[in-house]
Amino acid sequence: MKIGLRDFDGKQVNLALMKLSAYHKAQGDTVVLDKFTPADVDKVYVSVIFKKNREAAMQYASQFSNVEIGGTGYDLTTTLPAHIESLRPDYDLYSMEDIYPRMKGVMTKERKIEKATEIINAGIGFLYRGCIRHCKFCVVPTKEGGLQRVAQVSDLINPKSNIITLLDANLTSEPDAIDTLHEIRDRKLILDITQGIDVRLMTPEIAKALSEVKMLRSLHYAWDLMGFEKQVLTGIDTLATHVKRWRHMCFMLVGFNTTFAEDYYRFHKLAFEAKVDPFVMIYTNGKKADAKLRHFARWVNARVYTKIPFNEYRPWVKAQLA
Ligand code: SF4
């Protein structure tokens, strides 16, 4: 059979499609990624990550007669069968050329090629699925349920690289987080924790173990709800005893259940008192974000706040006059 895999809106690589690819190749099928027409393939899988793209992905899928569609942007119930979920991903599915166009931000062509190569060569996966918490804005509890172990560190290694991309939703809540970090350190792996850590659970021991691992980028965590101020700020201080503050980044959810005054308060505390890098994430739930929040996010995330107060930020001033 000829199998078409369509990564509809992924920003990096798609683990589910990589596992489907591994499964079908093991059956002797031919697998093609993204570039195919209905005449080229016998069966198609479409993965859509973002809810805002759901309709477009369904429209795309409708041209194929034998098609399955899934992904967080489609629904929270479609999952891979257990015999496919447990497979090692096909690390040959993506090429540098597939990932290169997805590289955003100001980078030279050489740097983009380097980053794209780094992404396709990295090992990727989950050690644990699920989360101990039930944040109402998050899909993880519904999609994955409570915390469950699904793999070992050795399962996540791609021999082409010493980087591992860890997709766990809440590493710091895992009962053996310190052992995991020690194993990653001892194997001399470089860790990319894509979903961040839960800084509210920070202890001096976890902070020390994190500091001993080589990280691919800054350590990120979140302060999403006003009620967690004390736990977040205490956790940041604990982490900072082992990991310098310039290596932290704190995501702030806005547009969920906070007022703008509360958003500004969190930003100010993080940037000027905790002295860590804030990063605004807008909760949209598939809808267009509020204009003030969009301007606020740009002003914070591009660090314009280091030069100009928000009420003098020209794009926001102009938007109010329009
Ligand atoms: S702690 Fe993080 S992963 Fe867990 S439910 Fe809350 S937002 Fe989701």
Side-chain angles (χ1 to χ4, degrees):
M1 282 225 294
K2 287 187 184 163
I3 305 295
L5 300 177
R6 179 74 170 102
D7 182 351
F8 199 76
D9 55 2
K11 292 201 185 297
Q12 299 207 340
V13 294
N14 183 307
L15 184 62
L17 292 183
M18 289 163 82
K19 290 188 174 186
L20 282 164
S21 177
Y23 171 75
H24 279 287
K25 284 183 180 173
Q27 309 300 307
D29 297 332
T30 307
V31 173
V32 53
L33 178 70
D34 287 344
K35 298 178 191 85
F36 51 84
T37 68
D40 301 330
V41 288
D42 301 304
K43 172 154 193 179
V44 171
Y45 296 90
V46 180
S47 173
V48 55
I49 306 293
F50 299 102
K51 212 169 161 182
K52 64 179 182 187
N53 298 329
R54 187 175 191 272
E55 293 307 316
M58 286 173 69
Q59 178 72 29
Y60 168 82
S62 67
Q63 65 185 302
F64 302 99
S65 53
N66 188 3
V67 59
E68 289 186 42
I69 182 164
T72 307
Y74 179 67
D75 67 17
L76 301 180
T77 50
T78 308
T79 53
L80 292 178
H83 66 283
I84 300 180
E85 179 62 58
S86 61
L87 292 176
R88 192 179 153 71
D90 174 13
Y91 285 115
D92 294 325
L93 178 63
Y94 287 88
S95 66
M96 186 282 290
E97 289 77 13
D98 295 319
I99 301 300
Y100 177 85
R102 303 178 185 188
M103 298 280 94
K104 300 281 179 257
V106 185
M107 272 186 262
T108 61
K109 186 176 175 198
E110 290 68 32
R111 181 63 187 140
K112 281 190 182 177
I113 291 173
E114 198 183 315
K115 275 300 277 178
T117 307
E118 187 178 280
I119 288 167
I120 59 160
N121 286 342
I124 184 168
F126 293 87
L127 293 174
Y128 280 80
R129 288 279 194 168
C131 186
I132 57 163
R133 298 195 191 266
H134 302 276
C135 306
K136 289 204 165 45
F137 51 82
C138 176
V139 299
V140 171
T142 311
K143 197 172 176 213
E144 300 183 7
L147 201 62
Q148 338 110 58
R149 181 111 205 182
V150 293
Q152 306 300 320
V153 172
S154 56
D155 300 325
L156 269 50
I157 297 172
N158 179 349
K160 291 181 199 160
S161 157
N162 64 343
I163 296 174
I164 58 169
T165 302
L166 187 64
L167 303 174
D168 293 26
N170 195 335
L171 171 66
T172 41
S173 74
E174 295 168 10
D176 46 4
I178 293 176
D179 292 341
T180 297
L181 291 165
H182 286 169
E183 183 177 351
I184 291 170
R185 174 199 66 192
D186 296 344
R187 285 178 178 270
K188 299 191 178 3
L189 296 168
I190 300 172
L191 182 60
D192 185 15
I193 308 173
T194 59
Q195 306 307 301
I197 54 174
D198 189 335
V199 79
R200 294 165 291 184
L201 302 173
M202 192 53 56
T203 63
E205 294 74 23
I206 295 178
K208 183 167 186 294
L210 283 165
S211 75
E212 291 169 354
V213 170
K214 193 162 180 206
M215 298 288 170
L216 190 66
R217 51 188 164 141
S218 58
L219 260 179
H220 47 281
Y221 43 78
W223 179 9
D224 295 321
L225 305 173
M226 289 305 292
F228 287 110
E229 175 171 354
K230 188 164 184 298
Q231 284 161 273
V232 169
L233 296 178
T234 304
I236 292 174
D237 287 343
T238 305
L239 181 61
T241 59
H242 290 281
V243 179
K244 294 211 171 1
R245 289 173 193 264
W246 62 266
R247 292 181 54 211
H248 300 208
M249 177 179 273
C250 186
F251 287 83
M252 298 169 36
L253 188 72
V254 301
F256 177 64
N257 71 353
T258 50
T259 62
F260 185 75
E262 289 169 334
D263 299 336
Y264 195 89
Y265 174 85
R266 282 181 292 156
F267 149 73
H268 197 273
K269 275 266 171 196
L270 291 166
F272 299 108
E273 293 185 35
K275 297 195 187 308
V276 298
D277 202 8
F279 193 95
V280 172
M281 299 277 290
I282 308 178
Y283 178 80
T284 61
N285 201 20
K287 302 194 183 80
K288 193 166 162 48
D290 171 80
K292 187 171 186 179
L293 292 182
R294 280 189 278 122
H295 287 289
F296 179 61
R298 267 184 238 122
W299 178 75
V300 173
N301 300 349
R303 298 188 189 143
V304 186
Y305 67 83
T306 59
K307 302 187 183 86
I308 306 163
F310 184 57
N311 58 10
E312 292 173 24
Y313 176 49
R314 281 191 71 76
W316 171 233
V317 172
K318 276 172 75 178
Q320 291 174 92
L321 297 173

